Amino acid sequence: RRLCILKGIYPHEPKHKKKVNKGSTAPRTFYLLKDIKFLLHEPIVNKFREYKVFVRKLRKAYGKSEWSTVERLKDNKPTYKLDHIVKERYPTFIDALRDLDDALSMCFLFSTFPRTGKCHVQTIQLCRRLAVEFQNYVIASRSLRKVFLSIKGIYYQAEVLGQPVTWITPYAFAHDHPTDVDYRVMATFTEFYTTLLGFVNFRLYHSLNLLYPPKIDSQADAELKPTEGKEYAMDSESYLERLSALSSSLARVVAPTHEDEVEMDEFPVEGETAEQMDAKKKEQEALEKHKKLFEGLRFFLNREVPREPLAFVIRSFGGQVSWDKSLCIGATYDATDPSITHHIIDRPHVEKQVVGRYYLQPQWVFDSVNAKLCLPVADYFPGVLLPPHLSPFVTEQEGDYVPPEKLKLLALQRGENPDEESEEEEEEEEEEEDDNDKEEEEEEDESEKEEEMKLKKMEEQKTQSNKALPVKVTAGKVRVEDKQRLEQEQQSEEKRLAIMMMKKREKYLYKKIMFGKKRKVREANKLAAKRKAHDTALREEKKKSKKAQRA
Amino acid sequence: PLPSVPLQDIRNTVGNIPMEWYQDFPHIGYNLDGKKIYKPIRNKDELDMFLEKMENPDYWRTVQDKMTGADVRLTDEQLELVQRLQRGQFGDVNFDPYEPAVDFFTHEVMIHPVTNRPADKRSFIPSLIEKEKVSKLVHAIKMGWIKPRKPKDDTPTYYDLWAHEDPNSILGRHKMHVPAPKLRLPGHEESYNPPPHYLLSEEERLAWEQQEPAERRLNFVPQQHRCLRAVPAYPRFIHERFERCLDLYLCPRQRKMRVNVDPEDLIPKLPKPRDLQPFPTTQALIYRGHTSLVRCLSVSPSGQWLVSGSDDGTVRFWEVSTARCMRTLPVGAVVKSVAWNPNPTLCLVAVAVEQSVLLVNPCLGDKLLYGATDQLLEAYVPPEEERVQPVQWVLPGAEEHGKGIRLIVQHGKPVKQVTWHGKGDYFSSVVSDTSSRQVLIHQSSKRWSQAPFQRSKGMVQCVSFHPTRPFFFVATQRYVRVYNLLKQELTKKLMSNCKWVSSMAIHPGGDNVICGSYDSKLAWFDLDLSTRPYQLLRHHRRALRSVAFHRHYPLFASGSDDGTVIVCHGMVYNDLLQNPLLVPVKVLKGHVITLDLGVLDVLFHPTQPWVFSSGADGTVRLYT
């Protein structure tokens, strides 16, 4: 099992399950014979055996209380390395980056475990170190793109060498360890992931000309040392702590030579029109702008705010950040510093406000990052009811439901300022949406109805003509038939007839696809309806409160 | 040592034991003589104690001797000792803790040894025990049990693993490798502060709770928190990571071909119905008059008259163009089938009523024509010798003759169907029976009948003559058999692939047959191609009742219990290489479903692209 985890071997679903399983259909897992042979040839198998022998000997020596033997055995403890497996599983660096999601999530989870029980302290420390190193890399390369506060944890998405890497970190609380989880499996995964992440970090740091293991910029270091040294006696620990404070830049092997400013050379690719080029350029510019979102802003984190995620996010968009000195090492400036522009606070009200800075709730930082622009601060003052926090990972396709908040945001991004008439617009948008929905519904019904309608009309005509003889002649109404509608009807009928002619298999597929589409529409409609109900309820409440005020 | 001052010489001999052991006994130990020492009587209550405390000046220095239970007054020396110990001083008054220290051994190295003992012999000879130990170690080293300490591995743990990466050296394994799919990214509903409409309403939450955990679309309940500070830890975080781990190494991976087709592309490209005109598109006329379901229809070869038979026991003759009922012929029983003689020079209708087939002259249209028909029937000369016939040919009475009935062919069993040969002389009837005489062929001019089959091959559903050649089609429940009447042999057996054939029609060209079945399928056979259906069309939702071909136009129609008539374009090419083209062109609705029956019979007009349908609602409709 352990070997399977390390080597990334997974079972296969056989084509003929019954044949493989000798006639029974009981669920079993099947591995490829090739994979099993492949595992047998792995050199690490021998190392595992050695380790097993070592453990047995050690236990025996303990039992006999032969302490010198114990010492000797411990000195010769067999070790194994997973380097070659990493290389084998990920022949290229890009492959490794592609699979980094799980590795990061796991490392971030393990780094929050308590140092007791459950798993080895060294593992936890290593995880913590690697996670912090990766965060530092993201800061240094400014590659963070999206952040999302979910109820499960905080999702981050960074773009490392063109690959989107997404990971989730839990909120900083003690875990209550579930009993139905096999920690050995998790530990084996972590073992592999730490190795992978270590190599990836090494490579990433070198791609940025940074030292690995990371060192804090000597300049900043000098500033920090005298004050911090006293409070933190243990040097080795304080180093990691300071690193994890994420407040200072890292030392480079080569002094930064403003390489970032070098204009990208333009290689006109053949077949690429000027428009595409333009679009590309624009995108590039937008990206650059996004990277420098918080440049020049100075943040101060109040003590009740989760420090690490916020510091990480702000720093990776170029902002400067500090916190209360007693909270953590590495605070660079004080709360009273007059140059602070944004004070992140998560309390219902502020006791004493300093003029010249915004007091904001932490969601502002995350929402701004996702919106790629500094949002208007008014919605985020302390004590204010926050606007909803939307997921940046959702990209609406055509026909999907788009929440009104997102529409507003998109409008903001386009450069419009709908703040004043936002409400009206919202309403309009909603109305539009509703109209659309109705139309869709109608369309669905139409196809069924139209046939009946036609027949009815005909019948009417006929009855008219039949009855016209004995009964008095009534003036025929001029029936203005919508030509478009007729055409539509005809087309839909043709389509239905064609559907009738489809082969059985294709028909099945077609029906499935159409079912999926309809379900999507239904869900969107449901959401919209819910939203509408909610809004109307709100409006009525408002009206009521207004009336009450007037009275 | 505490000198105890006994009042008497009571000495306890129990020794140094915890005195609690004697708690429950009346005595406290034994004296030197072995007698029990009884506990002193203590009858002092709280008040006495208090009084004693107040009155006795020595109370503070009185302690109880645990060994004897007697109260002891401490002497002055004893008091002093206690006080000294309490202060942390030595018990002995005379002990001086600050005496000058005298070294036992001086720190200076002397010339002479302290003891003048000569060295042992064993310090000169090698130790046997040590030798044994060493030899054991040597042996262990030799045998490889003890290994030298490994040199410290000082290569860095991390280095540039992908320094020489060569994209071409990817193993074959990696080509087959299915990379682990990434986790789904979170949507709006997972936010800690989602838009309000993403929150579950009460009933949705209930539904969510009742679902199996594996069935839920969301594995969490969306929640809204006022601020970031209020967000709690997610209790299932470790679970989710663990499940991901399990998925990674226990789930079989498979490349699933996502069918990414536009559903519009799946729809076959058919010629537009508009290009395939003419075909009936609208309901033009309704022939009302029957009071019960209309089972059968037939049109005169000229296309001017329509005859319909109904469950109300009448046969009605209609004028097609005006929907007027020209004649009503009461026959007194359910009319199972009517068939107009296809010969245009005759005016004769075969009507199957109960156990007989009536040949009716409707006396409609050209007087010459129906007069000639009567003459023809009367010109029959009975043969000299009476032949044995399976049926009886009976001349009707005068009253019936007046109604138009010219001949009655009496079968022994109820007749199901009657159909004419293209020439108009022969007609065939189907009897609902299981014997070999299910199918009978009659010649009307000679009033002669015969049963063509020796043995029955199952329930015959319907029969039909080939329009041009001497073939005879018999549809049983599952097969359609084609007989050559001249050679009197079976030429073909068509498998219909249906459960129960209900009706059959033959293309006027004669090479194609369609079969409708009660399991709502329509099978198109190409007799030249194979005995299996060229195409099975599942257009109807309910059982098919009847099918029909148009005589000139490439059209065929099918009527079903779902109340619709579907008109299809069925082009048969003269070129043998080209397969027939089948395109549904129109769904005609109009009949009301009564008693779970919809359309019972369909029929094309002989010259126009019109279709008649008779339904269970007692109407006959014409679509043009």
Side-chain angles (χ1 to χ4, degrees), chain B residues 272-291:
Chain B
K272 293 227 163 168
R274 216 174 301 153
D275 307 338
L276 302 175
Q277 270 167 348
F279 54 82
T281 51
T282 52
Q283 179 173 293
L285 289 174
I286 305 178
Y287 303 83
R288 294 180 201 272
H290 282 294
T291 51

Side-chain angles (χ1 to χ4, degrees), chain A residues 57 82 89 122 255 278 290 339 345 412 415:
Chain A
K57 276 184 185 165
L82 302 173
R89 275 178 69 170
Q122 288 94 330
D278 257 16
H290 187 207
S339 61
I345 191 167
L412 261 179

Side-chain angles (χ1 to χ4, degrees), chain B residues 313-344:
Chain B
T314 58
V315 176
R316 278 171 191 262
F317 296 89
W318 313 82
E319 193 178 16
V320 167
S321 52
T322 57
R324 264 180 75 189
C325 180
M326 302 306 286
R327 282 191 62 191
T328 309
L329 178 70
V331 288
V334 172
V335 181
K336 282 282 174 64
S337 172
V338 291
W340 204 298
N341 194 324
N343 188 348

Side-chain angles (χ1 to χ4, degrees), chain A residues 1 5 9-13 35 38 72 75-76 81 83 86-93 96 98 101-102 105-106 109 113 129 148-152 155 164 166 168 170-171 173 177-178 180-183 185-186 189 193-195 198-199 202-203 212 306 346 348 361-363 385-391 393-394 396 401 403 451 455 458 462 490 493-495 497-498 500-502 506 509-510 513 517 523 526-527 530-531 534, chain B residues 145-150 153 155 157-165 167 170-171 173-174 176-178 180 182 185-188 190-201 204 217 219-221 223 225-229 231-234 237-242 244-246 248-254 259 261 263-264 266-268 270 272-274 282-286 535 537-539 566 582 584-587 589-590 621:
Chain A
R1 189 191 65 197
I5 293 173
I9 301 292
Y10 46 85
H12 278 260
E13 193 71 21
D35 282 343
F38 174 71
R72 203 190 66 229
D75 278 345
N76 273 348
K81 280 188 164 182
D83 309 5
V86 173
K87 174 85 187 184
E88 190 189 84
R89 275 178 69 170
Y90 306 109
T92 59
F93 184 55
R98 247 176 240 152
D101 291 15
D102 293 311
S105 300
M106 202 62 148
L109 170 65
F113 275 176
R129 208 190 90 199
F148 178 48
L149 299 168
S150 83
I151 50 172
K152 294 181 180 177
Y155 286 90
T166 317
I168 178 173
Y171 287 112
F173 290 105
H177 286 281
D180 52 345
V181 164
D182 190 355
Y183 278 92
V185 172
M186 300 254 280
F189 268 103
Y193 284 153
T194 48
T195 323
F199 285 115
F202 185 89
R203 173 91 181 208
Y212 188 87
D346 201 358
Q361 300 209 34
Q363 196 189 323
L385 186 64
L386 287 169
H389 180 62
L390 296 175
S391 166
F393 300 112
V394 179
E396 275 89 2
Y401 172 70
E451 195 65 20
L455 285 175
M458 264 177 257
K462 207 184 283 173
Q490 202 152 14
E493 199 191 337
E494 273 169 28
K495 200 171 147 192
L497 289 172
M500 279 201 313
M501 274 306 282
M502 276 201 294
E506 281 176 353
L509 190 66
Y510 179 82
I513 293 174
K517 273 189 178 172
E523 262 165 30
K526 203 170 150 194
L527 276 180
K530 248 172 140 183
R531 173 71 185 198
H534 178 82
Chain B
W145 296 334
I146 297 178
K147 292 203 184 75
R149 198 165 291 154
K150 275 181 201 155
D153 193 10
T155 50
T157 43
Y158 298 121
Y159 51 91
D160 196 353
L161 191 67
W162 292 281
H164 312 287
E165 68 182 26
I170 295 168
L171 301 170
R173 219 177 80 75
H174 289 283
M176 282 288 295
H177 182 74
V178 185
K182 297 198 172 191
L185 288 171
H188 295 314
E190 205 181 313
S191 165
Y192 83 99
N193 184 13
H197 47 298
Y198 279 98
L199 296 174
L200 294 185
S201 62
E204 275 172 331
R217 290 202 81 190
N219 54 0
F220 57 90
V221 182
Q223 285 164 337
H225 299 283
R226 270 295 146 92
C227 51
L228 187 58
R229 187 175 28 132
V231 182
Y234 184 60
F237 193 88
I238 296 179
H239 274 116
E240 279 187 3
R241 292 320 309 170
F242 179 61
R244 171 70 176 164
C245 287
L246 290 187
L248 280 180
Y249 93 102
L250 282 180
C251 274
R253 291 182 205 167
Q254 210 172 23
V259 195
V261 281
E264 303 303 319
L266 284 175
I267 298 171
L270 294 174
K272 293 227 163 168
R274 216 174 301 153
T282 52
Q283 179 173 293
L285 289 174
I286 305 178
Q535 212 159 20
L537 308 174
R538 284 181 200 79
H539 295 170
I566 293 182
L582 308 181
V585 287
K586 189 70 193 170
V587 180
K589 292 176 191 168
R621 283 158 202 256

Side-chain angles (χ1 to χ4, degrees), chain B residues 117-121 123-124:
Chain B
R117 198 160 145 256
D120 282 327
K121 182 187 176 185
S123 62
F124 294 103

Side-chain angles (χ1 to χ4, degrees), chain B residues 466-535:
Chain B
H466 192 280
T468 50
R469 299 173 64 194
F471 286 127
F472 188 57
F473 294 82
V474 178
T476 54
Q477 254 188 43
R478 314 199 55 168
Y479 306 102
V480 177
R481 291 187 172 81
V482 186
Y483 294 95
N484 191 334
L485 289 174
L486 277 186
K487 290 181 187 167
Q488 304 215 330
E489 63 179 15
L490 179 71
T491 48
K492 225 165 231 171
K493 186 179 166 192
L494 308 174
M495 331 275 184
S496 71
N497 283 5
C498 312
K499 293 260 165 58
W500 197 309
V501 171
S502 65
S503 54
M504 173 177 64
I506 295 153
H507 191 264
D511 279 342
N512 294 281
V513 177
I514 50 175
C515 273
S517 77
Y518 288 118
D519 49 349
S520 66
K521 284 186 230 169
L522 190 147
W524 173 289
F525 294 96
D526 194 333
L527 294 182
D528 297 334
L529 217 61
S530 85
T531 59
R532 303 218 161 255
Y534 159 67
Q535 212 159 20

Side-chain angles (χ1 to χ4, degrees), chain A residues 127-234:
Chain A
C127 279
R128 173 81 186 144
R129 208 190 90 199
L130 291 171
V132 167
E133 280 170 9
F134 187 78
Q135 279 187 335
N136 269 315
Y137 165 77
V138 170
I139 289 174
S141 64
R142 298 261 176 103
S143 52
L144 194 68
R145 289 291 171 271
K146 290 166 180 175
V147 196
F148 178 48
L149 299 168
S150 83
I151 50 172
K152 294 181 180 177
I154 305 174
Y155 286 90
Y156 300 96
Q157 189 173 51
E159 199 176 299
V160 182
L161 304 181
Q163 293 287 335
V165 177
T166 317
W167 72 94
I168 178 173
T169 60
Y171 287 112
F173 290 105
H175 298 282
D176 47 341
H177 286 281
T179 48
D180 52 345
V181 164
D182 190 355
Y183 278 92
R184 284 176 305 172
V185 172
M186 300 254 280
T188 318
F189 268 103
T190 313
E191 195 181 357
F192 177 74
Y193 284 153
T194 48
T195 323
L196 169 67
L197 197 57
F199 285 115
V200 168
N201 275 350
F202 185 89
R203 173 91 181 208
L204 288 176
Y205 272 76
H206 277 253
S207 69
L208 277 190
N209 285 335
L210 295 171
L211 278 178
Y212 188 87
K215 290 227 167 54
I216 288 163
D217 207 355
S218 54
Q219 216 179 334
D221 208 20
E223 286 170 20
L224 284 178
K225 203 105 203 203
T227 50
E228 304 294 336
K230 293 165 207 160
E231 287 155 40
Y232 289 87
M234 288 171 74

Side-chain angles (χ1 to χ4, degrees), chain A residues 11 224 282-283 305 332 378 385 397 426 448 482 484 503:
Chain A
L224 284 178
K282 244 181 204 173
E283 212 171 88
V305 181
T332 42
L385 186 64
Q397 281 144 4
E426 221 173 89
E448 289 164 21
D482 204 350
Q484 240 182 340
K503 277 174 196 153

